[in-house]
Amino acid sequence: MIRTEEIYDAATDDAAFARLAATLAEAVGARSGVLHWGFSPDHVAEISYSGYFSDAQMAVYDDEFQADDIWGAALDRLATVNRLLDIEAIVPDRAYEGSRIYNEWIRPMGDDTFRCIGGVIQKDGTTGHIGLHRGRTQKPFSRQEVEAMQDSMGHIGRMFAIRSKLDRANQHGRSLQAALDMVGHAVFILSPNGTLIDGNRAADAMLRRGDALTLRQRRVSARDPRDDEAFQAALRAASARQGTQASAIFVHRGLEPPYMLSIASVRVGMDRQIVAIATDPADQDVSLSSRIRALYGLTRAEAEVAQALCTGRGLEELSAERGVALNTIRTQIKNIYVKMDCSRQSELVARIGALPRLSPLEE
């Protein structure tokens, strides 16, 4: 019979999960087996096949015959969970012989799969199915074989539940990473001594450039010795017992304007971690124009002028850059003030500056 550890190995090991259907089938002398779980009876998150049928044959089943699976439908009608059943006792031979799945999928392949034991497994909000099969010329499953596999049903259910929790945790992590990648700043998660724990896509790109921050033996440091002294001091201050006040430093790089590095600490359980956010003042937010237009009903030209005003450009400069008359720029600015309900350039800058900076969105 199957060893319990083989089931629990499949909880965290994808390769072991892929092998599990074959392992279960072998344990009871079945010719083929299938095992899958999902977050509802109609959902399949992962599936394990024993390998008796080819991937192409199983793809045909998934696409054309899954809804006509007479064995699966019988289990669903019974609504019996966590119990392994001999399907031959539920679905008469004559009904199976006349089924579409038998006559249009099984027989055209030259196969004679005819016997099945299976069941529905539910545990901690996870629903799984197990099916183990033999051919028509093979002996029926014995009561002892059904009972022996029944002993493993609880372990299989717990394994499904563990995989579902890990799946949700992984999905949660991917969602958080995607959100961080959208932030238009380089975000570093550090231990108190500067060891890199995680970072978003922009942080990874900054470290690869190595123009201001570097990574040595997993520790982040500034290239310029004076900047690094200030950076290490900021890390120590953020790591202190009362280190709740955020700080910021400049991190210099060649001839370009320096990065602005904001540093603060956060509690993660009993530990303290450091969040360092690097802002490149030269970066442009390509999505800002569309967001301004959506919020305030500006035209494309008005949104471009509003953005330019935020960078300190004057009217004459804008007139020359855009190739329009000075009066046209004045008219556009009046329209912008009306639509944005402000009367001074400083108010306009404050409204637009309150919007978060986003990284370029991927297609």
Side-chain angles (χ1 to χ4, degrees):
M1 288 305 299
I2 186 171
R3 294 181 295 117
T4 303
E5 54 265 34
E6 291 182 280
I7 297 174
Y8 287 109
D9 284 346
T12 57
D13 186 328
D14 291 344
F17 178 81
R19 294 191 303 268
L20 187 57
T23 303
L24 294 173
E26 183 180 354
V28 292
R31 190 171 66 182
S32 65
V34 62
L35 190 71
H36 60 77
W37 67 269
F39 296 114
S40 71
D42 298 325
H43 173 254
V44 176
E46 286 187 306
I47 193 161
S48 173
Y49 295 125
S50 63
Y52 175 76
F53 295 108
S54 70
D55 290 344
Q57 290 167 334
M58 292 310 304
V60 171
Y61 168 83
D62 291 340
D63 292 339
E64 300 180 26
F65 294 98
Q66 189 171 20
D68 293 313
D69 189 333
I70 190 171
W71 289 339
L75 285 174
D76 290 339
R77 284 196 305 272
L78 283 176
T80 301
V81 299
N82 301 325
R83 181 182 167 200
L84 196 73
L85 301 171
D86 187 341
I87 307 300
E88 286 191 85
I90 304 169
V91 178
D93 290 354
R94 184 173 298 177
Y96 179 66
E97 286 176 328
S99 69
R100 178 172 176 262
I101 192 171
Y102 181 65
N103 288 287
E104 297 184 27
W105 186 59
I106 294 292
R107 293 181 66 188
M109 291 188 294
D111 192 59
D112 71 337
T113 294
F114 201 83
R115 310 185 191 284
C116 176
I117 56 174
V120 178
I121 306 172
Q122 291 186 350
K123 177 70 175 177
D124 296 345
T126 302
T127 298
H129 291 79
I130 179 174
L132 303 171
H133 319 108
R134 284 178 180 163
R136 187 167 196 166
T137 58
Q138 294 180 294
K139 66 178 183 178
F141 289 97
S142 68
R143 181 171 57 84
Q144 291 79 10
E145 288 168 335
V146 174
E147 290 175 352
M149 188 54 64
Q150 176 67 49
D151 291 340
S152 296
M153 293 284 277
H155 300 303
I156 295 171
R158 284 186 282 276
M159 180 273 296
F160 283 155
I162 293 170
R163 286 194 73 83
S164 73
K165 288 182 174 72
L166 291 174
D167 183 78
R168 290 183 189 275
N170 289 335
Q171 181 62 40
H172 182 65
R174 289 191 294 270
S175 297
L176 290 177
Q177 188 65 53
L180 280 178
D181 286 343
M182 185 177 284
V183 174
H185 308 269
V187 181
F188 302 86
I189 311 298
L190 308 170
S191 67
N193 70 351
T195 298
L196 181 65
I197 297 173
D198 202 356
N200 66 353
R201 185 174 52 198
D204 183 58
M206 182 178 290
L207 290 174
R208 287 200 308 271
R209 287 195 302 272
D211 56 352
L213 295 176
T214 62
L215 187 65
R216 295 190 182 93
Q217 296 181 337
R218 299 295 300 167
R219 291 184 66 178
V220 176
S221 59
R223 291 182 66 89
D224 185 302
R226 290 172 298 180
D227 291 344
D228 193 51
E229 184 178 343
F231 178 51
Q232 299 303 325
L235 289 179
R236 289 192 296 272
S239 304
R241 183 180 296 274
Q242 301 301 324
T244 56
Q245 184 68 39
S247 62
I249 62 171
F250 285 113
V251 184
H252 296 83
R253 47 165 180 168
L255 300 177
E256 296 291 324
Y259 296 117
M260 298 176 288
L261 193 63
S262 300
I263 300 162
S265 68
V266 293
R267 282 283 184 186
V268 181
M270 297 299 293
D271 298 324
R272 188 184 293 275
Q273 294 180 354
I274 309 300
V275 179
I277 303 174
T279 302
D280 185 348
D283 270 354
Q284 301 249 337
D285 186 340
V286 296
S287 72
L288 186 58
S289 177
S290 63
R291 288 186 285 148
I292 296 171
R293 292 173 63 193
L295 280 171
Y296 298 110
L298 305 185
T299 65
R300 183 182 299 275
E302 289 167 350
E304 292 171 354
V305 169
Q307 280 187 268
L309 291 173
C310 290
T311 64
R313 288 185 176 86
L315 273 63
E316 291 81 4
E317 188 178 1
L318 278 172
S319 175
E321 282 182 0
R322 300 181 64 79
V324 298
L326 190 59
N327 281 339
T328 299
I329 297 296
R330 289 195 177 102
T331 300
Q332 288 174 329
I333 292 175
K334 287 180 182 178
N335 290 337
I336 292 168
Y337 283 171
V338 169
K339 292 178 180 180
M340 295 185 65
D341 191 26
C342 57
S343 57
R344 296 188 300 275
Q345 186 171 341
S346 59
E347 291 180 75
L348 180 148
V349 171
R351 279 172 170 70
I352 294 177
L355 295 173
R357 179 191 286 188
L358 303 181
S359 288
L361 302 179
E362 294 182 332
E363 294 295 331

